[in-house]
Amino acid sequence: MKTSEIMAKLQAKYPGENEYLQAVQEVLESVEGVYNQHPEFEQAKIVERMVEPDRIFTFRVTWVDDNGVVQTNTGYRVQFNSAIGPYKGGLRFHRAVTPSMLKFLGFEQTFKNALTTLPMGGAKGGSDFDPKGKSNDEIMRFCQAFMLELWQCIGPDQDIPAGDVGVGGREIGFLYGMYKKLARQYNTGVLTGKGQTWGGSILRPEATGFGALYFTQHLLHHAGKDIKGLKVALSGFGNVAWGAATKATQLGAKVVAISGPDGVCEIPDGITPEMIDYMLVMRASNRDKVEDMATRFPGQAKFTAGKKSWSVPCDVALPCAFQNELSEDDAKELKANGCWCCCEVSNMGCQPGAIHFFQNNGVLFAPGKAVNAGGVATSGLEMTQNASHISWSAEEVDAKLHYIMKSIHEQCVKYGMQPDGTIDYVKGANIAGFMKVATAMLEQGTV
Ligand code: GLU
């Protein structure tokens, strides 16, 4: 296969689907060499099949706001690939959601899930519903209307949604309540990220951030470094940033920046447990303003409007917010201010120019599909607990999460080892995930 030829065809077929094309390009560039050593992949047209989702459901979601006004949004579920297990991936509620965004996320999810060592295929879904400024009742009514359509497409052995940007424990609760009413079955395994008293895994809310820090620790140890005492700048203040801030602080690092769409909060003495708790309050308020942290903790957090976390001097940068949130210019500014490691926690958080800059300028870099896989891995553990009607303790889940992140790091090292002894984590993660999915597709025939 030739990446350029496949990309030209996809660009002509899906013009303007920029995020999707970006995600495919990155994977194909990484796997081209390995792929071409396997004529059986080429014969079965594995790549041409793998870049297309199995199917996409699109539906209208109509609900009534607090003023009695009827509102209409669009809902989607992209079932991308089920070679190694049932479709699995989150739901994103954000005003910018498009089919292109969900196709990129579903594609990434396929490889990420393969890295977790657990049997899960890839999917993603969501809606252009904007949670910002919505009341709790509005969120509930939207979730119920969304599930009214989605429930026919999902099931514990078919497709298992979870949270993502704009969808946390509260939304999963509302979605599950409606699913249960429609299906007339207590199928706990149909959604993950549930409440702890009704089938949810202990540590699922923390898992993406905790897993990201375990991966970062392995990466640093492999490079002969330790996280203790390092300055960490992270972006966002949602669930993922909260988990990352919690674990980074526990491991002895100093979190010196968090951010939001409105700007950055610099925290020179490091984030405190009270501030970490306040991140949850900020998320639940649906205001989407990081400035609230500086208002609540004046003297400790300094807010600057319109700036990103990447302007704050740090050792380690952890993008935890949204795709393409870190540009090449941001990468240059980080490096100029002393940053020497970037672990992408958001899905495709760094623009291609930023990744190339990091890789060519001695900044350790690891991609989201390896770094953030602890979230979906813990979802996989939740599915196991649901299927066997048991509940594991926080210690048991944490130990399994640790083991999985270690194994993901090992896979990256195995497939990403360069002749000079350094690790190309992008290549490593892409090749490891690709080989697993491609082999399963080949063994299952032309379907
Ligand atoms: N949305 C998360 C991700 O990007 C978690 C998905 C899940 O738990 O299914 O991996």
Side-chain angles (χ1 to χ4, degrees):
M1 70 121 160
K2 259 203 140 89
T3 299
S4 53
E5 281 169 19
I6 294 180
M7 287 314 299
K9 279 190 197 152
L10 287 178
Q11 268 148 8
K13 193 169 170 190
Y14 301 114
E17 295 201 358
N18 297 332
E19 297 106 334
Y20 163 69
L21 295 168
Q22 181 185 336
V24 172
Q25 167 104 28
E26 186 208 280
V27 171
L28 296 194
E29 268 174 14
S30 294
V31 304
E32 187 172 333
V34 173
Y35 188 85
N36 289 335
Q37 290 164 12
H38 289 268
E40 68 279 18
F41 287 166
E42 179 66 27
Q43 203 191 354
K45 293 279 176 265
I46 293 291
V47 155
E48 285 83 344
R49 289 158 58 192
M50 206 184 256
V51 298
E52 292 281 352
D54 287 358
R55 64 191 70 80
I56 304 179
F57 297 102
T58 305
F59 45 90
R60 175 172 55 76
V61 185
T62 295
W63 56 284
V64 180
D65 72 17
D66 285 349
N67 299 318
V69 178
V70 175
Q71 301 284 347
T72 295
N73 290 99
T74 309
Y76 307 92
R77 185 69 180 165
V78 179
Q79 295 184 336
F80 217 104
N81 188 297
S82 64
I84 64 168
Y87 301 107
K88 179 83 194 91
L91 296 171
R92 178 173 289 195
F93 292 169
H94 189 279
R95 63 186 178 283
V97 161
T98 57
S100 165
M101 193 192 291
L102 298 177
K103 276 170 70 181
F104 120 64
L105 288 162
F107 182 72
E108 292 275 297
Q109 198 82 42
T110 301
F111 301 100
K112 180 196 315 195
N113 292 2
L115 290 173
T116 63
T117 72
L118 303 174
M120 298 183 287
K124 205 82 184 192
S127 173
D128 57 359
F129 171 76
D130 184 3
K132 189 172 168 180
K134 300 290 187 298
S135 70
N136 201 51
D137 285 351
E138 288 175 323
I139 301 269
M140 180 174 76
R141 285 197 294 276
F142 177 79
C143 288
Q144 292 175 339
F146 183 84
M147 188 50 88
L148 217 45
E149 282 288 332
L150 184 71
W151 81 282
Q152 304 260 28
C153 317
I154 60 175
D157 296 313
Q158 186 182 355
D159 183 353
I160 305 97
D164 194 78
V165 175
V167 178
R170 170 183 54 177
E171 290 76 13
I172 293 293
F174 294 149
L175 289 164
Y176 186 72
M178 194 51 151
Y179 175 86
K180 189 180 61 152
K181 198 169 173 66
L182 292 163
R184 298 190 178 196
Q185 278 177 17
Y186 209 101
N187 266 336
T188 13
V190 74
L191 289 168
T192 58
K194 298 178 294 292
Q196 281 174 21
T197 55
W198 46 282
S201 173
I202 300 177
L203 277 196
R204 177 62 189 89
E206 291 86 349
T208 308
F210 279 24
L213 266 296
Y214 297 152
F215 187 94
T216 305
Q217 261 191 320
H218 284 294
L219 176 141
L220 292 174
H221 286 166
H222 197 267
K225 314 264 189 194
D226 191 75
I227 194 159
K228 221 177 161 130
L230 298 184
K231 277 194 272 181
V232 174
L234 53 85
S235 59
F237 61 85
N239 172 262
V240 173
W242 166 77
T246 306
K247 188 49 81 178
T249 308
Q250 278 175 14
L251 296 175
K254 203 189 216 191
V255 175
V256 292
I258 60 169
S259 67
D262 52 335
V264 64
C265 266
E266 205 175 327
I267 312 163
D269 294 332
I271 204 162
T272 62
E274 296 73 34
M275 294 166 102
I276 293 173
D277 286 347
Y278 196 66
M279 289 166 88
L280 295 177
V281 178
M282 283 159 57
R283 187 207 171 250
S285 78
N286 287 341
R287 279 169 49 80
D288 216 9
K289 282 195 186 331
V290 80
E291 187 177 4
D292 293 355
M293 183 65 85
T295 311
R296 172 73 183 77
F297 296 93
Q300 284 168 277
K302 182 174 152 273
F303 174 71
T304 311
K307 283 269 186 191
K308 297 186 191 176
S309 292
W310 321 132
S311 60
V312 177
C314 65
D315 299 293
V316 179
L318 299 179
C320 296
F322 215 58
Q323 71 265 8
N324 290 326
E325 57 173 306
L326 199 155
S327 68
E328 186 172 346
D329 285 346
D330 295 327
K332 288 178 179 162
E333 187 172 6
L334 277 166
K335 165 92 182 163
N337 285 332
C339 171
W340 50 270
C341 174
C342 173
C343 286
E344 198 182 53
V345 193
S346 43
N347 290 309
M348 208 166 76
C350 294
Q351 296 178 17
I355 298 176
H356 293 145
F357 177 82
F358 286 143
Q359 290 180 325
N360 295 330
N361 289 278
V363 177
L364 290 168
F365 175 77
K369 59 172 81 68
V371 179
N372 75 27
V376 72
T378 307
S379 279
L381 300 176
E382 184 170 329
M383 287 160 64
T384 305
Q385 292 171 80
N386 294 156
S388 37
H389 304 281
I390 53 164
S391 172
W392 290 325
S393 67
E395 291 71 29
E396 283 172 292
V397 178
D398 198 37
K400 290 184 203 305
L401 174 62
H402 249 291
Y403 174 80
I404 288 170
M405 298 317 294
K406 180 168 172 274
S407 146
I408 295 173
H409 185 264
E410 281 164 3
Q411 293 175 66
C412 290
V413 170
K414 176 175 169 197
Y415 288 101
M417 179 68 79
Q418 298 302 290
D420 65 359
T422 59
I423 311 300
D424 182 335
Y425 283 89
V426 176
K427 242 183 163 171
N430 284 334
I431 297 176
F434 174 85
M435 287 305 289
K436 196 166 166 187
V437 178
T439 307
M441 286 175 72
L442 197 65
E443 288 171 2
Q444 291 170 19
T446 311
V447 287

